Amino acid sequence: MSETSRAGIEGRILELGDRLVEVEAPAHFTNARAEAWIDWAGGRTDLAAAILQYAYTLAGKAQAKGLTKDLKSRTRFREAITEAMMLGLVALTPAAEPLRVLEAGAGALDRMTASQRGREAAQAAAGLMGARLQAVMDAVLRCEGGPEACADPARNTSLARATEAARAAGAADATILEAIALARAGEMEWLCAAPPPAPMTPVVALAAEGPALARAAWTTGRVIAAPDAAAAAAIAEAAALPAVGVELMAFWRDGAFDDAAFAEAAKLAATALGAEAEGPMLFGLGGLGEWLVAQGFDYDSEEARQAARNLFQAARDATDDLGLDLRFGLISDPELALRLGVRLDAAPWAGPVTVAETADGETVRVLSEAAMLGVAATGADLAAVRDALLGHRGLSDAPAVNHQALTARGFTSLEIAAAEAELPFVRSLARAFAPTVVGEGFLRDVLGATPEQLADPGLDVLALAGFDADEIARAEVHALGGDSLADADVLTEDQRLVLRGAGDLPPAAETAMLGALAPILDVPPVLELTLPWEATLAEVEAMISACEVAIRVRRAPGPAALALDIPPVADRPVRAPAAPQPEERIVERIVERERTRQKLPDRRKGYIQKASVGGHKVYLHTGEYDDGQLGEIFIDMHKEGAAFRSLMNNFAIAISIGLQYGVPLDEFVDAFVFTRFEPAGSVTGNDTVKSATSILDYIFRELGISYLGRNELASADPGELNADGLGRGKADAVAADDAEPIPQPASRFISRGFARGAAPDNLVFLPSANRGAGPAALAAAEVCAACGDIAVVKKGQALICETCGTRAGRLPEDQTG
């Protein structure tokens, strides 16, 4: 290995899979490029040693095949290929499987389309159905009743809901019963794997297939439409050939392309491929679009197309005397392109801006080498071009959002300097002025940001400071520049044409380039075209039919946040039917509650329940809305560890927020009853719950009974409880049904502090004296004005209160006799 390549090796730390490893790689390789070479080396992280060992092996094969004449030429070949691979000038890829050529007719294309859609549907359904069947198992596993009752949807409410959801997801009843049976057997997980995604390997078909071809291309993005059968066969065969690529931008010396060095590298690459492989081989050139810009050619010009043909011809001339079955073509191999650092498909360059990695792994936007050479070739002002593309990296002279305007809105030099330090690493001013950069204290104390705004990850600090969108956009162009020179006023029209990127070129430009290269290439070129996701089937068909070379059309992936705005069925306009409307219709309409937080009144009622679960004291505090609905809970644990107490406190806050946003208490009760963890066991101090499997089980049993009337969660029949809910136990309870009821003061039911004296001190609640009387007697009774009991009954010609004995008066004459 030469001293030049040795000096370019550096150690770095890369994240490979789930581990960090130390890698020895060329200093100019990006992390992604280094990872691609590590994959080529079979996972070896010392790339210098791996390439050197490969070069020794390759030199031996070359000598065995007569590609090197003697030991001296073998040594020169080994050193040259080692240095070329270390510099990333040459990369090889082994043979692969040939592409499949679909038989003529629409049947094969339609089957491929149907298979793609079937796999996509199966993947979506597998995840949903697996989750629903897991919920079925969980409903059985969490149940604390008998095995038969827990596995019966008629007696296990949670199981009934889970089975209904699983059936709605498409699960057969037999599959649901399998999930229940597995849970009863003690299995904890419903094992379900989604089918593998549809293969993305291209297939070749004839462009004459028409609508079926367009439909398959639109759906799968896998179809290469070839103009004829011979081209289809050649494209399919070329995909399986071992290949070598040569990176063109490496041969610039002192601002000019070194033709002799390029020819020598082409011969070296062909020799290496001939030593490695047998039979036909594929040779490609990388970075043709960048090379044309560096030469000062407009990609969409006849001069550029002629220069590209001359370049391939020069490579062919340099390798003709090797006697190899070498075929020249455009290569669509992502791994080979990543190792070379450029594409090998003759596409236009991406644009003048690329990214570079700093020593600590940060990425920054910089001008590419091709851009700087192209600017020099066209005579443009490099400094002006750099400012237009990369910005001024500062705000001192920016329009609208500058140091003076920021200071006037409360920013200090500290916040401005922090934001400007971020400018090389971001693509928007919003990210440069992110809350994590300027500090939440500044936002809260100076700009007056609310807690809700501070919690918003998309908070635009400049908008919060009072700058409008137009002011921010103008300052952003000044500070950060743009990715294109299409509208730059620092260039002439001819300079602008040369420096156009792929996004600024017309779609026909690449088609014309491939058509010009086709006669000199051994493999028909394929136009790779990506259309917007919204592209229609008709647009895809038109592209295929109009293209003069083989073409592969794909649509961009759909937006990640795509969601249909589907109105409720009841809100859709109903077309008047031909038959007369019935006189009466019963329509069920589901009204969704507005998802806003309903705050509790500042002064609110509720109750406190003290109990002990498994020997651990628990205090449950509730807060209610004015209508009696539960709105908040607090859970206090007596003498528990700080971590557990804090966890329970924050859990109670989360439940309270959910209740205030409209989550039904029923949902919480169903979710947390029967949960099992320590402390658990017997419950004392609560008149309805006598045992619990956990603190949460106890809490939500109590809430379900008290607020929802879910008496099935009680440990005993509510009519046979050991306490009355007011702190009285058996010793104080009424001994028998016929015992004399005891009046209860209202203070036992109404908080004196909450009522603020509104309830009189002498107010009592009296149980009905006619408790044993039938419903008819109670219905006929009236309220006594003296004691308030519903105990006034007719006795002779008078109304007598059976509770206090007060004579309420005489019956009206029309009710006597």
Side-chain angles (χ1 to χ4, degrees):
M1 186 186 305
S2 70
E3 293 300 321
T4 302
S5 55
R6 280 186 184 274
I9 300 298
E10 69 170 9
R12 68 179 80 176
I13 302 297
L14 291 183
E15 183 178 356
L16 300 179
D18 57 351
R19 60 195 180 95
L20 295 175
V21 297
E22 186 175 357
V23 174
E24 296 288 332
H28 66 285
F29 280 10
T30 64
N31 287 346
R33 194 173 179 185
E35 290 177 17
W37 277 97
I38 290 171
D39 290 339
W40 167 84
R44 293 183 62 180
T45 56
D46 188 346
L47 290 181
I51 290 174
L52 183 60
Q53 182 179 351
Y54 177 75
Y56 269 99
T57 304
L58 206 58
K61 292 180 179 180
Q63 186 174 17
K65 291 185 176 182
L67 296 173
T68 56
K69 298 178 181 179
D70 50 28
L71 181 60
K72 186 176 181 179
S73 61
R74 170 180 170 173
T75 301
R76 285 199 301 267
F77 169 76
R78 173 176 54 78
E79 291 178 348
I81 194 64
T82 300
E83 185 166 12
M85 295 179 71
M86 290 297 301
L87 293 175
L89 310 183
V90 175
L92 292 81
T93 187
E97 292 296 323
L99 300 181
R100 183 163 63 99
V101 179
L102 297 181
E103 64 269 18
L109 289 165
D110 287 342
R111 286 193 295 274
M112 185 176 71
T113 301
S115 175
Q116 172 90 4
R117 291 173 178 165
R119 284 178 180 268
E120 291 174 352
Q123 283 185 308
L128 177 61
M129 191 180 299
R132 297 291 171 83
L133 291 171
Q134 182 65 55
V136 170
M137 295 183 66
D138 291 341
V140 177
L141 293 168
R142 293 174 180 172
C143 179
E144 292 296 322
E148 295 297 330
C150 289
D152 184 0
R155 291 184 281 176
N156 185 343
T157 306
S158 296
L159 178 60
R161 294 176 179 173
T163 53
E164 183 179 0
R167 181 184 287 172
D173 287 0
T175 308
I176 296 174
L177 290 175
E178 287 180 8
I180 295 174
L182 287 173
R184 293 191 64 181
E187 294 289 331
M188 304 295 293
E189 182 179 2
W190 176 264
L191 300 176
C192 178
M200 292 307 297
T201 305
V203 298
V204 187
L206 296 180
E209 296 297 346
L213 175 64
R215 184 167 54 248
W218 187 83
T219 303
T220 68
R222 297 173 52 200
V223 182
I224 297 175
D228 52 55
I235 292 170
E237 180 190 10
L241 299 180
V244 65
V246 177
E247 202 262 311
L248 292 170
M249 291 302 298
F251 303 103
W252 287 88
R253 305 287 189 271
D254 299 324
F257 186 71
D258 190 338
D259 296 285
F262 166 68
E264 183 180 349
K267 186 172 184 177
L268 175 69
T271 303
L273 185 60
E276 182 68 48
E278 300 287 345
M281 295 163 280
L282 189 61
F283 187 103
L285 299 179
L288 180 60
E290 288 80 358
W291 182 86
L292 290 172
V293 172
Q295 291 277 17
F297 291 118
D298 172 14
Y299 183 90
D300 189 19
S301 67
E302 184 55 39
E303 292 81 2
R305 292 188 276 270
Q306 183 60 50
R309 287 193 295 266
N310 294 341
L311 200 58
F312 274 98
Q313 185 61 51
R316 188 185 293 275
D317 294 341
T319 57
D320 273 346
D321 61 345
L322 295 177
L324 300 173
D325 187 3
L326 202 61
R327 303 182 184 181
F328 287 82
L330 306 180
I331 303 175
S332 179
D333 185 334
E335 285 297 317
L336 185 60
L338 188 55
R339 279 190 278 139
L340 282 177
V342 289
R343 297 172 61 172
L344 295 96
D345 55 1
W349 74 327
V353 178
T354 185
V355 293
E357 288 185 354
T358 63
D360 54 358
E362 292 279 1
T363 58
V364 295
R365 298 169 66 248
V366 297
L367 289 184
S368 66
E369 180 187 7
M372 290 188 287
L373 291 170
V375 168
T378 59
D381 185 344
L382 180 60
V385 170
R386 180 180 285 109
D387 289 342
L389 291 170
L390 304 180
H392 295 77
R393 304 291 175 90
L395 296 169
S396 58
D397 299 321
V401 185
N402 48 44
H403 289 188
Q404 183 178 359
L406 290 168
T407 303
R409 284 167 170 79
F411 289 83
T412 67
S413 58
L414 181 64
E415 288 80 32
I416 296 173
E420 288 186 324
E422 292 292 314
L423 291 178
F425 309 106
V426 299
R427 288 296 298 120
S428 69
L429 287 183
R431 294 189 62 184
F433 283 87
T436 54
V437 176
V438 299
E440 290 189 3
F442 168 78
L443 297 178
R444 182 178 55 253
D445 301 337
V446 178
L447 299 185
T450 64
E452 291 77 11
Q453 289 174 323
L454 292 175
D456 181 8
L459 175 63
D460 189 335
V461 173
L462 292 178
L464 180 65
F467 295 101
D468 61 36
D470 180 66
E471 291 174 331
I472 297 172
R474 287 189 288 123
E476 197 166 83
V477 171
H478 173 87
L480 301 176
D483 291 325
S484 170
L485 292 169
D487 300 322
D489 56 5
V490 298
L491 301 176
T492 66
E493 183 61 28
D494 290 340
Q495 292 169 340
R496 189 178 294 109
L497 291 176
V498 172
L499 297 173
R500 286 182 298 177
D504 303 322
L505 285 163
E510 188 174 358
T511 304
M513 176 63 74
L514 298 187
L517 290 175
I520 201 172
L521 299 177
D522 301 301
V523 179
V526 177
L527 175 62
E528 301 269 354
L529 189 61
T530 301
L531 297 179
W533 180 78
E534 302 87 354
T536 64
L537 189 61
E539 291 173 338
V540 171
E541 187 172 4
M543 283 285 183
I544 294 174
S545 61
C547 190
E548 298 177 359
V549 297
I551 182 173
R552 180 184 181 185
V553 179
R554 284 176 281 191
R555 290 186 301 151
L562 178 66
L564 290 176
D565 184 12
I566 303 176
V569 176
D571 291 345
R572 298 177 186 171
V574 180
R575 183 168 44 186
Q581 291 279 355
E583 293 183 1
E584 182 179 355
R585 294 179 63 197
I586 299 176
V587 179
E588 179 182 2
R589 180 174 181 180
I590 299 174
V591 179
E592 185 175 356
R593 177 181 292 179
E594 182 184 1
R595 293 293 184 246
T596 56
R597 186 174 181 180
Q598 302 297 317
K599 295 293 186 69
L600 284 159
D602 293 336
R603 187 178 183 86
R604 46 190 176 265
K605 59 186 183 297
Y607 70 88
I608 302 175
Q609 172 70 59
K610 172 186 173 183
S612 177
V613 179
H616 294 255
K617 290 183 181 179
V618 184
Y619 293 85
L620 172 64
H621 304 241
T622 69
E624 301 172 2
Y625 291 101
D626 290 337
D627 62 357
Q629 293 294 318
L630 180 64
E632 69 177 358
I633 64 171
F634 294 96
I635 304 171
D636 289 336
M637 300 291 294
H638 185 65
K639 294 184 179 179
E640 295 297 333
F644 188 75
R645 291 179 64 185
S646 298
L647 183 63
M648 294 303 294
N649 289 339
N650 285 280
F651 173 80
I653 292 172
I655 295 297
S656 301
I657 293 174
L659 292 170
Q660 292 167 29
Y661 271 101
V663 179
L665 178 58
D666 259 324
E667 296 294 331
F668 288 127
V669 172
D670 290 340
F672 294 111
V673 294
F674 303 125
T675 52
R676 181 185 295 275
F677 59 85
E678 296 295 333
S682 62
V683 178
T684 58
N686 191 295
D687 56 352
T688 57
V689 182
K690 294 303 178 184
S691 65
T693 59
S694 67
I695 295 292
L696 297 188
D697 178 51
Y698 160 70
I699 294 291
F700 286 96
R701 283 176 183 266
E702 163 62 26
L703 294 176
I705 295 167
S706 299
Y707 285 97
L708 302 175
R710 296 274 296 272
N711 292 326
E712 74 274 11
L713 299 175
S715 301
D717 186 345
E720 299 176 357
L721 299 175
N722 294 330
D724 63 359
L726 300 174
R728 295 168 51 237
K730 284 185 176 181
D732 302 324
V734 178
D737 290 342
D738 57 355
E740 183 67 25
I742 301 174
Q744 301 291 334
S747 59
R748 298 182 67 90
F749 300 92
I750 302 175
S751 167
R752 182 184 299 273
F754 183 82
R756 287 180 172 168
D761 293 339
N762 60 352
L763 181 65
V764 296
F765 286 100
L766 293 175
S768 174
N770 288 315
R771 184 176 300 172
L778 289 176
E782 296 183 8
V783 178
C784 175
C787 67
D789 197 4
I790 306 177
V792 177
V793 297
K794 174 183 176 183
K795 288 190 176 182
Q797 299 298 317
L799 297 174
I800 305 297
C801 177
E802 292 191 338
T803 299
C804 64
T806 301
R807 180 183 294 272
R810 297 180 59 84
L811 287 172
E813 293 184 0
D814 59 350
Q815 294 184 19
T816 59

